[in-house]
Amino acid sequence: MASHRRPKQPNRARVSVLTAMAAAAVALTSQAAHADPKPTVKDVKAKVDDLYKQVDKATDKYDGAKDQESKLQKDVGNLQDKVARGQADLNAMRDALGSMATAQYRTGGIDPSVQLFLSADPDTYLDKASTMDQVSSQQADQLRAIQSKQRELAQERLEAQGKMKDLADTRKELGEKKKQVQSKLADANKLLNSLTAQQRAQMQQEDQERANRSSERVALGKGVPASQRAAVAFAAAQTRLGDLYVYGSTGPNTFDCSGLMMWSYAQAGVSLPRTSQAQGTVGPHLSMSQLQIGDLVIMDGGSHVGMWAGNGQVLHAPHTGTVVKYEAVSDMTFDYGVRVG
């Protein structure tokens, strides 16, 4: 007679383990199916370009802080020289008063009014001396001059202290702006390093081909300079083609965007302000159709500047990792042109 045994029940612990393994396998499969694909060269380039635009904005603020630091340093130096000269003048005036006291002593004792001045607070001296009716006209003039010089010197010292505080604050701000630029550049480099060597070579080749096409178009273009000075500035800028971009640099061998404009126009005897934002205010604003060779081209919300080269091209220093070159304005965000007066 056949035996009818009940089938052996699976161990509960074994079931739990198998269930967990199955769930994990499903989860891994799902994650693999939904994992973000590796970024393409196009994706990385778009992100890097956006970071470089942010670098432009940070660099413009850095340039502004650096320019302010330079001006404040000059102001502080001038004020310190002024204070030193004022102190020398005050010492000479006191020496003259001392000579008067010496002469009076030799002839029978120091005039009480002079003695009072030498031993009391000069700011209250004249009031006290006038009540004594012991100040001669000559002595009163000398004492008033000393009192006035002391007050002037105190004011100059106060102004110098204020400028030195401004300088310290600006240097702190400069350090912060520099960190912002370096942080953005580090992010861009991190993205570029996520590409393979082959992908980076592809990106560089595409950039070079685009730059070559732009250079060829500029060579064929025949534009009219905005002025004689603009012609000289443009010719100067052309001599810097191929020079390396370095943020915060104004030449003669490395440049940032506004530094290149500043240096180029300086060769024509024109002094431009340091930042692209400020350079956008030096003359009337122009539409793209009004641009002539040598006009400034303000881009990317005022954070970038180049020079109009004609035939739809801008000569500029783009960003870190590039050189001074021509580039189609259609590849950038045009704001307005500026004719340098």
Side-chain angles (χ1 to χ4, degrees):
M1 185 173 175
S3 176
H4 297 281
R5 293 180 179 178
R6 296 179 61 186
K8 189 176 181 179
Q9 296 297 318
N11 183 282
R12 289 186 179 182
R14 177 180 172 82
V15 170
S16 297
V17 170
L18 289 174
T19 303
M21 290 177 63
V26 170
L28 287 172
T29 303
S30 176
Q31 287 176 6
H34 293 88
D36 291 333
K38 193 168 183 178
T40 65
V41 173
K42 184 177 180 181
D43 292 336
V44 170
K45 181 170 178 12
K47 291 178 181 178
V48 168
D49 286 346
D50 181 62
L51 279 169
Y52 281 143
K53 287 182 180 180
Q54 294 178 46
V55 168
D56 265 343
K57 293 178 181 178
T59 298
D60 203 48
K61 292 177 181 178
Y62 170 84
D63 287 342
K66 191 175 182 182
D67 190 45
Q68 182 69 7
E69 179 200 33
S70 178
K71 290 176 181 176
L72 283 170
Q73 182 66 63
K74 186 176 180 180
D75 289 345
V76 167
N78 290 338
L79 281 168
Q80 288 175 332
D81 288 345
K82 192 175 180 181
V83 167
R85 289 194 301 270
Q87 185 64 59
D89 291 343
L90 182 59
N91 291 342
M93 294 167 74
R94 283 174 170 166
D95 288 344
L97 188 62
S99 298
M100 180 196 302
T102 300
Q104 290 176 350
Y105 178 79
R106 286 173 181 168
T107 59
I110 301 177
D111 187 311
S113 63
V114 177
Q115 187 176 18
L116 176 62
F117 176 79
L118 293 175
S119 62
D121 178 4
D123 284 339
T124 61
Y125 168 74
L126 287 176
D127 291 338
K128 293 179 180 178
S130 63
T131 62
M132 295 172 61
D133 195 23
Q134 292 175 329
V135 183
S136 70
S137 176
Q138 181 183 2
Q139 290 170 344
D141 288 344
Q142 286 180 292
L143 295 171
R144 285 193 182 93
I146 290 176
Q147 187 182 49
S148 175
K149 193 66 182 178
Q150 285 177 316
R151 289 172 176 167
E152 179 185 335
L153 194 57
Q155 181 60 38
E156 288 170 356
R157 282 185 172 136
L158 190 62
E159 187 178 352
Q161 289 171 0
K163 288 288 184 182
M164 290 177 73
K165 182 181 182 303
D166 289 344
L167 180 58
D169 292 343
T170 299
R171 282 177 171 163
K172 181 180 178 182
E173 180 187 1
L174 187 60
E176 292 170 353
K177 301 302 181 191
K178 186 175 182 178
K179 286 180 182 178
Q180 289 177 10
V181 173
Q182 292 173 330
S183 174
K184 298 296 182 185
L185 289 175
D187 290 343
N189 288 331
K190 185 177 180 180
L191 277 171
L192 290 172
N193 290 335
S194 70
L195 298 175
T196 65
Q198 183 178 359
Q199 287 174 319
R200 287 197 296 271
Q202 176 189 340
M203 183 184 292
Q204 291 172 354
Q205 182 179 356
E206 290 173 354
D207 287 342
Q208 188 59 50
E209 288 174 354
R210 184 167 58 252
N212 290 341
R213 287 194 299 270
S214 294
S215 298
E216 290 169 3
R217 286 196 293 271
V218 169
L220 297 174
K222 293 182 180 179
V224 178
S227 66
Q228 182 59 40
R229 287 184 294 185
V232 172
F234 179 64
Q238 287 180 302
T239 68
R240 306 330 304 174
L241 285 165
D243 283 355
L244 192 65
Y245 177 103
V246 175
Y247 79 87
S249 181
T250 58
N253 301 311
T254 58
F255 303 88
D256 62 18
C257 66
S258 56
L260 176 62
M261 301 300 102
M262 194 176 176
W263 180 88
S264 300
Y265 264 95
Q267 311 316 301
V270 179
S271 178
L272 290 182
R274 180 63 185 92
T275 67
S276 58
Q277 290 276 1
Q279 289 176 4
T281 67
V282 298
H285 290 189
L286 310 169
S287 65
M288 195 179 298
S289 63
Q290 294 174 304
L291 290 172
Q292 292 179 280
I293 289 176
D295 285 335
L296 301 182
V297 181
I298 307 299
M299 297 165 279
D300 297 333
S303 64
H304 189 66
V305 62
M307 188 179 293
W308 187 248
N311 204 28
Q313 305 297 306
V314 174
L315 196 166
H316 69 148
H319 52 73
T320 298
T322 62
V323 298
V324 176
K325 63 180 181 178
Y326 297 111
E327 193 166 354
V329 71
S330 58
D331 292 337
M332 295 171 275
T333 304
F334 175 84
D335 293 335
Y336 55 88
V338 176
R339 183 147 301 153
V340 178

